[in-house]
């Protein structure tokens, strides 16, 4: 497995990250353990989760994914083989949200307990917090790194201006900077990242670990009509957002590329992202061993320049109308 540097953090990660949002939601503990073991056995080392996963499930309060990963780490003894990423900042109960120094220290200790480890390799701000000065947040993260609780920090869901400002603050004050960005990015959702965030990350050496690499399953070709919405828990919202003329055009291009390369549409969609210069490791999840095997094959798939050009053209977003 050819590992990739994550920003300037010193962390070396596999070209694909396993998304832990499914653990404790659509994947039970036993299957989670098998998937994680298989992920490492295939040569991958990068696992991403968040404290808030899976609070959206009735009866859950967050922490379910971290708890399962923690049990697996303890029982398997494989902590040193994993680059472990988690996030904080989204609501976790009364008063538990944001990036204030007090809450950062509270949240990291809670995540460490659930993960049953003494360190988090990549600790990420899950959302921007405009109510907390960027310097206060950076100083709190610096304290965590000094204490050995965190190795590097990253950002998720930041706008380009706010990410640039955060990088500038860290640089001017000699504090640890965000070494990665976790944005929404895939063949369908391109414009927001490519217009401003991508050039910023390239210029500043920030690694990109984008989420929704398969557009919630749409880019696998699983959803091709409104009737397909019943195929999974995410089907309804997926078909509503992606099932349109442009989405179908992208699926046609993926189908053609899959035939050319002897792969599946989902594998092609991921390989297209891995080939993107700014992208370090897309994040994708699997809910079965078969899906995990597809992810493993996707990371090894090399697309031809002609295929990449065809996918670029098919997925191009219409230009915004000129202002009058």
């Amino acid at each position: 497995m050819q590992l990739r540097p994550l920003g300037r953090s010193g962390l070396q990660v596999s070209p694909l990250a396993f998304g832990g949002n499914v653990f404790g939601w659509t994947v039970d503990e036993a299957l989670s353990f098998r998937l994680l073991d298989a992920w490492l056995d295939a040569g991958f080392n990068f696992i991403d989760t968040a404290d808030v996963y899976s609070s959206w499930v009735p009866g859950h309060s967050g922490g379910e994914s971290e708890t399962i990963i923690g049990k697996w780490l303890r029982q398997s003894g494989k902590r040193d083989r994993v680059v472990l990423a988690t996030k904080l900042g989204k609501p976790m109960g009364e008063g538990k949200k944001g990036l204030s120094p007090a809450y950062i220290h509270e949240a990291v200790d809670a995540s460490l307990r659930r993960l049953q480890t003494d360190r988090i390799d990549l600790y990420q701000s899950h959302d921007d917090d405009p109510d907390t000065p960027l310097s206060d947040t950076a100083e709190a993260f610096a304290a965590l790194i000094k204490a050995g609780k965190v190795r590097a920090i990253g950002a998720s869901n930041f706008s380009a201006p706010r990410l640039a400002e955060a990088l500038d603050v860290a640089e001017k004050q000699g504090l640890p900077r965000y070494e990665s960005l976790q944005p929404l990015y895939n063949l369908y959702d391109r414009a927001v990242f490519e217009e401003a965030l991508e050039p910023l990350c390239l210029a500043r050496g920030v690694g990109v670990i984008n989420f929704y690499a398969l557009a919630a399953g749409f880019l696998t070709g699983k959803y091709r009509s409104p009737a397909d919405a019943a195929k999974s828990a995410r089907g309804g919202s997926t078909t509503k957002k992606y099932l349109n003329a442009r989405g179908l055009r992208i699926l046609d291009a993926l189908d053609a590329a899959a035939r050319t390369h002897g792969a599946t549409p989902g594998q092609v969609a991921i390989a297209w992202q891995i080939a993107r210069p700014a992208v370090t490791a897309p994040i994708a999840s699997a809910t079965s061993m078969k899906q995990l095997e597809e992810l493993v094959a996707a990371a090894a798939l090399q697309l031809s320049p002609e295929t990449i050009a065809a996918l670029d053209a098919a997925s191009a977003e219409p230009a915004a109308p000129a202002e009058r």
Side-chain angles (χ1 to χ4, degrees), residues 11-13 45-48 79 81-85 121-122:
L11 298 174
Q12 296 284 323
V13 300
N45 69 349
F46 202 9
I47 299 168
D48 176 78
R79 176 64 185 91
R81 295 174 57 188
V82 172
V83 175
L84 182 60
D121 297 307
L122 180 67

Side-chain angles (χ1 to χ4, degrees), residues 1 61 84 91 117 158 229 234 266 286 300 311:
M1 179 66 64
S61 57
L84 182 60
T117 184
F158 272 51
R234 296 190 290 184
L311 291 168

Side-chain angles (χ1 to χ4, degrees), residues 84-237:
L84 182 60
T86 192
K87 301 182 282 291
L88 85 151
K90 286 190 178 292
M92 284 285 287
E94 183 67 31
K96 296 183 178 183
K97 67 176 183 178
L99 300 174
S100 70
Y103 182 58
I104 286 174
H105 287 283
E106 176 185 348
V108 74
D109 287 339
S111 285
L112 288 169
R113 284 193 298 270
R114 288 188 292 264
L115 291 165
Q116 300 194 49
T117 184
D118 62 349
R119 68 198 184 280
I120 294 165
D121 297 307
L122 180 67
Y123 200 36
Q124 302 159 93
S125 300
H126 208 157
D127 278 320
D128 188 9
D129 179 3
D131 296 325
T132 300
L134 290 167
S135 58
D136 289 359
T137 296
E139 288 172 357
F141 281 138
L144 298 187
I145 292 173
K146 184 177 181 180
K149 295 180 179 182
V150 171
R151 294 179 64 191
I153 58 173
S156 177
N157 299 311
F158 272 51
S159 68
R162 284 288 284 177
L163 178 59
E165 185 181 356
L167 294 172
D168 290 342
V169 166
E171 181 179 337
K172 290 176 182 176
Q173 299 190 19
L175 297 169
R177 68 167 205 161
Y178 289 130
E179 295 293 348
S180 65
L181 173 69
Q182 190 170 145
L184 168 65
Y185 186 56
N186 54 59
L187 263 170
Y188 189 100
D189 300 293
R190 295 181 59 182
V192 172
F193 174 70
E194 291 182 9
E195 287 175 3
L197 286 165
E198 183 175 42
L200 173 63
C201 290
L202 285 170
R204 304 292 289 269
V206 175
V208 175
I209 52 174
N210 52 294
F211 64 88
Y212 274 11
L214 290 171
F218 176 76
L219 296 175
T220 66
K222 182 177 182 179
Y223 308 103
R224 295 175 184 266
S225 71
D228 292 333
K231 290 182 177 180
S232 77
R234 296 190 290 184
S237 59

